[in-house]
Amino acid sequence: MQPTLPVPYDSILKEFQTFIATERLHTDPLRTLAYGTDASFYRLIPKIVVDATSEAEVVRILEIAARHNVPVTFRAAGTSLSGQAVSDSILVRLGDSWRHWEILDDAARIALEPGIIGSHANRILAPHGRKIGPDPASIDTCKIGGIVANNASGMCCGVAENSYKTLDSMRLVLADGTALDTGDPESRRAFAADHKALLDGLAALRARVLANEDLAALIRRKFKIKNTTGYSLNALVDFEDPFDILQHLLVGSEGTLAFISRVVYRTVVEHPHKASALMRFPDIRSACEAAAALRGAVSAAEIMDRASIASVQGKPGMPEGLAELGPGAAALLVEVRGATKKELDKHIATVRKTIAHIPSLTEHEFTADPAAFGVLWNVRKGLFPAVGAVREAGTTVIIEDVAFPIESLADATLDLQALFAKHGYDKAIIFGHALEGNLHFVFTQDFNVQSEIDRYAAFMDDVTHMVADKYKGSLKAEHGTGRNMAHFVELEWGAAAFALMREIKTLFDPRGLLNPGVILNDDPQAHLKNLKPLPAADEGIDRCIECGFCEPVCPSRNLTLTPRQRIVAYREIARRKQAGQPGAEELAAFEKRYGYDGEGTCAADGLCSQRCPVTIDTGKFIKHYRSMGHGKAALVMASATAAQMPLTTAALGVALRVAGAAHDILGDRAMDAVSGALHKYSGKPGRRFPRWNVSMPRAAARPRGTALEDGDFKVVYFPSCVARHMGPEKHDPDKSALRDRTLSVLAKARCTVVHPEGMARLCCGQPWETKGFPAQAEAKLRELECALRAASGNGALPVLCDTSPCLARMREHIKGLELLEPVEFAAKYLAERLEFTPVNRRVALHVTCSSRKMGLAGPMEALARKCAREVVVPEDVFCCGFAGDRGFSHPELNAAALAGLGEQVRGCTVGYSTSRTCEIGLSLHAGLPYKNLMFLLDEASWPKGGGADSR
């Protein structure tokens, strides 16, 4: 499926192959499309995608591109909304190898590489009571490289704590491959000798600006509010040292001047005490007046027009009374912070007093309760997805980003609403960061027909003139200029300032090879070209806005595709089929590649839905996709294995015993070598002989434990079929069975155990559902439901299942029964019946994807800490990627998901989870045995009032 590249890309690829591994160079149509797509509504497909892992590689890439006169674009997370991270040439992606960091000066500063996610940087700083200044809404997904390159800000940082204002130093690579560290005196000396012309040119530009009082005043005025339109010209008036000018020009330069390989931030205080209030006003003018009055008194003030409120008012968890607001009402969500509770209360009192004279619809009620606090901010967070969730299939969601002098905010908002009405955007909403005069407006747009494109063009012409001419505002406040405002930069800034920007681009990148078409673009139609098609493809994924918020939790993100990319690729398959385009061979090759990249390596864990603004579960879609590919023989086999469950599990037991015997005879190395060869050469990916590994479980021994018969509390215990038949691994010193450990805990808690009848036949159907056999999965689930209803007296008794994924499926489809997994059962019924003494060990904990989706990450960690001296929860390990039995058929998925796990759990003696199959992969890649949390619970507990000796 590798295409023939046009000249000179074929030569460039060959040069890249001399120092970059083949698996990090992508030229096939599926991956260039998927990897080349960002969150904007533009699409360009790169000729070559390179996953660079070091600054040295970037230097060589730039040198080769320069020699061939070919453009290069850099990509971090790809959450940019303005088209600044797409390319039809060479796209360089930054992955996990760019995640190094260093705390400096007792956390007064922090050095970060561009691949670190923003919220990760804040987690690093949290123990020190500090954080980075920028706080974009996408901070859980976007990376430092993009935050700096776009000068992204957010709800609280304003213009005082953004990247420009908190930058200490940076390391960068120019278009000619020269590296500079502005924080290193020796690097500065060498650069001054080699690039004197660049530094002198910057000094000359500064002198020219200062000599032109009107131009200097314009620059100072425009950066009093948020502004990311064009280059950071304020660097020319704010700094005298050419190195300071240089590094601050790179902030917001969107990869058009240089590559940023490291940044040092001055950190800011993270106040421990916070309170919020959702203030409700009769009209937008009152809300804007309140925002202006509150500057300096609150840390954030998010304004929402009536259309915004209406878009979320009916959703679960929203505050009461929103639906009763009048047609012209508006809201202001404010946050107040303090170093102490007393200081916080003082600030709240100041806020009340400051706006007491402004008419409001309700009293301003503040809350410092985290739960209530979260409800209020969910109103704001739900605005963008609310529009995305109701858009028609085939349309896209546009979010624009402007700023006005705050004294003009009310009039500008009303003018913007008038433009919506004029151009027929009747479902548009307006919200934003009112303290900085920053408004976001969101609307849906169809780019599939020319008349709709023309409507968008006319609307944008009116908006740009209103913002730039009438109000002298910013066409881009914090989302970056990108492609959709590049042609309008001169309109906002005027000829003199625009000429300065051109000179800056020429000084840094004389051949114009760094991200061309972004920030400066002479094509008046640039914002209307290369528009991204979003065809209706499948109702399960049609609402996807391709934002990329799902990507950090995807186990295959560093192996093949992420949920966003799976959807992008499938949409292309659907588009080609719908268009009836010639090229059946190419489409077949594309679909074949999707079979591995899209379907085969998807864990289908559904964690993506928790990060998705419109709650799309790409895992569910992939299961549906699998179901569409099954032939008659596969369906017959699935039905047979489901109907003959005892035979199926007996076969599993035989397989485990045979594998165990072979392991004993051959030993670890030989067994691994033989299994590896069988897996590698036995067929196509996904249909190969299962890959045995050293952590493979033995067949479970027959249970030896007995249930208590005279307890004072009855519970139905359903051991999952996996737990019933998979025992410990060979090298686990503890050979006891999970059922025995569970019965031991229940006995200590004085519980009488009831087992459902016919347990050998019972299964929740998860194995069939995961493989795309929904009918067979449903049949097994209903069979289990009947047995559980009978055993529990139709819900009179709680039901305990020891395996979280199985319990999660049961709970999703069985109603009217109290279904609990170990953590929930322990919290609800065992805590009052047991005493706990933590075992004197350092242990690892893995929260399964099912547990995360059930909201049990916190309770599971709390239970583990009650039972062990030290608990390690590895960072950024979400789903283990074993995915039932996919760890045997696609072991590379499990390896990719758990890369770095061993290092994070070093010093631990054992790990715990709540899924036996997950524990296989965890044990393998951690280098220590993982087992069910019930083992730890049994070790650390004894009967209430009975003392430790009664265990």
Side-chain angles (χ1 to χ4, degrees):
M1 194 177 167
Q2 299 296 335
T4 301
L5 292 174
V7 177
Y9 293 98
D10 54 349
S11 300
I12 291 172
L13 180 62
K14 289 174 183 176
E15 291 191 58
F16 285 171
Q17 288 170 337
T18 63
F19 65 98
I20 297 174
T22 303
E23 61 267 21
R24 293 194 284 114
L25 295 169
H26 313 283
T27 59
D28 68 274
L30 187 148
R31 290 200 181 185
T32 52
L33 169 70
Y35 293 169
T37 298
D38 72 356
S40 73
F41 51 92
Y42 296 100
R43 170 157 297 154
L44 292 171
I45 302 176
K47 306 294 190 304
I48 304 173
V49 177
V50 185
D51 293 333
T53 61
S54 68
E55 185 186 274
E57 286 186 354
V58 170
V59 169
R60 295 189 67 180
I61 290 167
L62 289 173
E63 290 172 346
I64 292 168
R67 191 163 63 250
H68 290 276
N69 203 41
V70 166
V72 176
T73 295
F74 298 101
R75 161 81 64 81
T79 56
S80 50
L81 296 163
S82 305
Q84 55 266 67
V86 295
S87 169
D88 58 1
S89 183
I90 296 173
L91 181 71
V92 179
R93 299 197 310 164
L94 309 180
D96 286 352
S97 60
W98 296 88
R99 296 177 60 185
H100 298 95
W101 52 270
E102 183 180 3
I103 294 284
L104 304 169
D105 303 333
D106 293 326
R109 297 185 302 147
I110 186 170
L112 301 164
E113 286 191 340
I116 293 179
I117 291 173
S119 59
H120 185 192
N122 285 338
R123 288 204 307 271
I124 295 166
L125 290 166
H128 305 276
R130 312 287 292 184
K131 64 176 182 175
I132 62 172
D135 61 338
S138 58
I139 197 166
D140 288 332
T141 306
C142 65
K143 297 178 179 179
I144 293 298
I147 290 174
V148 179
N150 291 292
N151 197 20
S153 46
M155 291 180 279
C156 297
C157 78
V159 295
E161 295 181 342
N162 58 19
S163 292
Y164 180 92
K165 289 293 180 68
T166 58
L167 174 67
D168 183 78
S169 66
M170 68 168 60
R171 186 171 175 87
L172 57 101
V173 181
L174 291 180
D176 63 4
T178 301
L180 165 66
D181 187 340
T182 64
D184 179 2
E186 184 55 43
S187 180
R188 288 165 65 118
R189 278 192 292 272
F191 189 85
D194 294 340
H195 289 75
K196 185 175 185 299
L198 172 57
L199 296 174
D200 288 348
L202 294 176
L205 289 180
R206 170 178 164 79
R208 231 168 68 209
V209 169
L210 295 180
N212 184 335
E213 293 183 5
D214 290 342
L215 181 56
L218 171 69
I219 292 171
R220 291 190 180 100
R221 175 180 62 78
K222 287 192 67 60
F223 285 103
K224 286 182 179 178
I225 61 174
K226 286 187 179 183
N227 192 323
T228 59
T229 311
Y231 291 116
S232 299
L233 294 182
N234 44 343
L236 297 172
V237 297
D238 291 344
F239 301 98
E240 184 175 353
D241 182 344
F243 284 101
D244 278 332
I245 295 172
L246 184 155
Q247 69 175 7
H248 284 86
L249 280 170
L250 285 190
V251 177
S253 64
E254 299 173 24
T256 63
L257 302 182
F259 169 73
I260 301 169
S261 60
R262 184 175 184 259
V263 62
V264 178
Y265 275 122
R266 294 185 297 275
T267 62
V268 302
V269 174
E270 172 66 308
H271 291 293
H273 298 277
K274 303 176 185 178
S276 285
L278 185 64
M279 301 176 174
R280 307 171 197 196
F281 298 94
D283 50 59
I284 198 75
R285 191 172 297 281
S286 299
C288 291
E289 184 182 346
L294 290 174
R295 292 193 80 182
V298 299
S299 59
E302 295 293 293
I303 196 166
M304 292 167 267
D305 72 350
R306 185 65 185 92
S308 292
I309 300 167
S311 71
V312 296
Q313 65 190 23
K315 296 186 178 300
M318 293 295 104
E320 295 181 358
L322 296 184
E324 286 71 48
L325 297 178
L332 201 64
L333 177 58
V334 303
E335 181 179 283
V336 181
R337 299 178 177 183
T340 64
K341 176 67 166 59
K342 184 177 180 181
E343 184 179 281
L344 179 68
D345 292 340
K346 182 179 178 182
H347 288 165
I348 292 173
T350 299
V351 168
R352 293 183 189 278
K353 182 177 180 181
T354 301
I355 60 173
H357 65 288
I358 299 174
S360 65
L361 295 175
T362 59
E363 185 180 345
H364 305 316
E365 297 181 3
F366 282 84
T367 178
D369 174 62
F373 193 97
V375 167
L376 295 182
W377 283 96
N378 281 340
V379 178
R380 165 64 175 85
K381 291 176 182 177
L383 297 179
F384 181 42
V387 176
V390 298
R391 68 183 174 85
E392 294 181 12
T395 65
T396 190
V397 179
I398 306 284
I399 178 167
E400 281 298 352
D401 165 48
V402 296
F404 307 94
I406 194 167
E407 61 273 13
S408 303
L409 186 59
D411 290 334
T413 305
L414 294 171
D415 281 355
L416 194 52
Q417 289 175 333
L419 288 180
F420 289 148
K422 174 183 175 182
H423 292 278
Y425 292 106
D426 55 352
K427 294 181 180 178
I429 67 173
I430 300 173
F431 59 93
H433 318 315
L435 297 180
E436 310 302 332
N438 179 194
L439 295 181
H440 302 319
F441 53 97
V442 183
F443 56 98
T444 60
Q445 175 66 47
D446 186 350
F447 285 131
N448 296 308
V449 293
Q450 189 59 46
S451 61
E452 282 295 289
I453 296 174
D454 294 342
R455 177 168 74 123
Y456 173 74
F459 173 69
M460 289 306 296
D461 281 345
D462 279 355
V463 167
T464 53
H465 282 285
M466 184 266 285
V467 174
D469 292 339
K470 182 174 182 179
Y471 291 107
K472 310 301 180 187
S474 307
L475 293 174
K476 278 295 184 182
E478 58 179 4
H479 291 171
T481 309
R483 297 178 182 277
N484 59 334
M485 285 297 172
H487 176 65
F488 298 101
V489 173
E490 186 172 6
L491 171 67
E492 175 179 331
W493 276 98
F498 186 68
L500 275 178
M501 294 183 189
R502 286 209 174 281
E503 290 186 65
I504 289 168
K505 173 67 172 174
T506 301
L507 275 173
F508 280 87
D509 181 23
R511 298 166 72 179
L513 297 181
L514 295 181
N515 213 9
V518 172
I519 291 190
L520 306 178
N521 197 316
D522 292 330
D523 184 354
Q525 298 294 305
H527 62 302
L528 305 176
K529 294 180 178 178
N530 303 305
L531 300 173
K532 180 192 293 183
L534 288 176
D538 184 279
E539 63 180 14
I541 59 173
D542 283 341
R543 291 177 297 118
C544 175
I545 53 181
E546 299 183 5
C547 64
F549 284 14
C550 55
E551 295 188 334
V553 297
C554 178
S556 61
R557 64 187 181 277
N558 295 321
L559 176 65
T560 51
L561 303 181
T562 64
R564 163 169 65 175
Q565 294 160 357
R566 285 185 169 88
I567 292 172
V568 167
Y570 186 77
R571 279 176 166 163
E572 178 63 9
I573 293 171
R575 186 190 69 81
R576 292 190 188 187
K577 288 181 176 179
Q578 292 165 11
Q581 293 177 335
E585 226 177 276
E586 290 85 351
L587 178 57
F590 196 99
E591 286 191 276
K592 181 180 178 182
R593 184 65 184 257
Y594 191 79
Y596 178 78
D597 285 5
E599 182 272 316
T601 52
C602 179
D605 57 33
L607 281 181
C608 46
S609 65
Q610 293 195 304
R611 294 291 188 98
C612 175
V614 291
T615 64
I616 291 171
D617 187 339
T618 309
K620 277 190 176 179
F621 164 71
I622 289 297
K623 293 173 187 176
H624 171 63
Y625 180 83
R626 288 168 183 164
S627 72
M628 295 189 292
H630 293 316
K632 185 175 181 180
L635 292 170
V636 169
M637 178 62 72
S639 297
T641 56
Q644 300 298 325
M645 186 73 181
L647 290 178
T648 301
T649 54
L652 172 62
V654 170
L656 291 175
R657 282 188 286 274
V658 169
H663 186 191
D664 289 337
I665 295 169
L666 296 175
D668 290 357
R669 289 188 180 180
M671 184 70 173
D672 187 62
V674 170
S675 174
L678 284 172
H679 178 73
K680 184 175 182 179
Y681 299 111
S682 59
K684 298 177 181 179
R687 298 183 180 180
R688 294 172 175 168
F689 191 85
R691 180 68 162 91
W692 176 94
N693 65 60
V694 72
S695 296
M696 185 89 163
R698 298 302 176 92
R702 189 178 297 277
R704 291 176 299 198
T706 57
L708 191 69
E709 296 182 354
D710 59 346
D712 55 16
F713 180 77
K714 275 190 175 183
V715 57
V716 175
Y717 171 36
F718 170 61
S720 71
C721 53
V722 169
R724 296 197 302 268
H725 296 95
M726 287 187 176
E729 61 177 283
K730 176 181 179 180
H731 297 296
D732 185 352
D734 183 353
K735 303 302 183 186
S736 54
L738 171 57
R739 286 175 70 181
D740 291 338
R741 290 293 195 140
T742 304
L743 291 174
S744 173
V745 172
L746 295 175
K748 290 182 214 176
R750 302 286 304 165
C751 296
T752 296
V753 174
V754 178
H755 288 302
E757 293 288 338
M759 200 146 59
R761 298 183 56 83
L762 300 181
C763 176
C764 69
Q766 181 95 339
W768 290 271
E769 184 203 30
T770 301
K771 289 178 173 58
F773 296 102
Q776 291 80 0
E778 175 71 9
K780 295 307 297 179
L781 184 74
R782 294 309 157 205
E783 184 179 28
L784 174 62
E785 179 181 359
C786 289
L788 293 179
R789 288 195 182 280
S792 67
N794 201 28
L797 303 180
V799 177
L800 167 64
C801 178
D802 49 31
T803 303
S804 294
C806 301
L807 186 282
R809 172 168 165 77
M810 291 157 56
R811 182 179 291 173
E812 181 181 1
H813 298 286
I814 299 175
K815 305 304 176 185
L817 299 183
E818 186 180 12
L819 303 167
L820 303 169
E821 56 82 77
V823 174
E824 294 173 300
F825 187 82
K828 186 168 184 180
Y829 294 116
L830 300 183
E832 61 185 24
R833 294 171 166 269
L834 297 174
E835 302 281 1
F836 296 91
T837 296
V839 296
N840 188 28
R841 286 200 302 270
R842 174 182 166 94
V843 305
L845 182 69
H846 175 73
V847 183
T848 68
C849 44
S850 300
S851 297
R852 289 183 185 277
K853 289 190 290 184
M854 291 188 288
L856 296 177
M860 188 171 180
E861 184 175 345
L863 179 61
R865 294 194 186 282
K866 184 184 286 190
C867 296
R869 168 179 56 83
E870 185 178 358
V871 178
V872 176
V873 183
E875 286 193 343
D876 300 325
V877 175
F878 301 98
C879 171
C880 70
F882 208 85
D885 65 351
R886 200 150 290 256
F888 299 127
S889 61
H890 296 77
E892 65 275 20
L893 173 60
N894 181 224
L898 297 181
L901 174 64
E903 180 64 28
Q904 292 195 62
V905 299
R906 182 175 293 175
C908 295
T909 56
V910 64
Y912 297 98
S913 188
T914 50
S915 170
R916 186 65 191 94
T917 53
C918 296
E919 290 152 19
I920 300 170
L922 291 162
S923 299
L924 176 66
H925 294 288
L928 54 92
Y930 271 75
K931 53 189 62 195
N932 195 284
L933 192 61
M934 275 295 186
F935 282 76
L936 179 60
L937 194 59
D938 187 33
E939 246 188 295
S941 66
W942 71 90
K944 193 86 164 181
D949 291 340
S950 65
R951 277 184 288 178

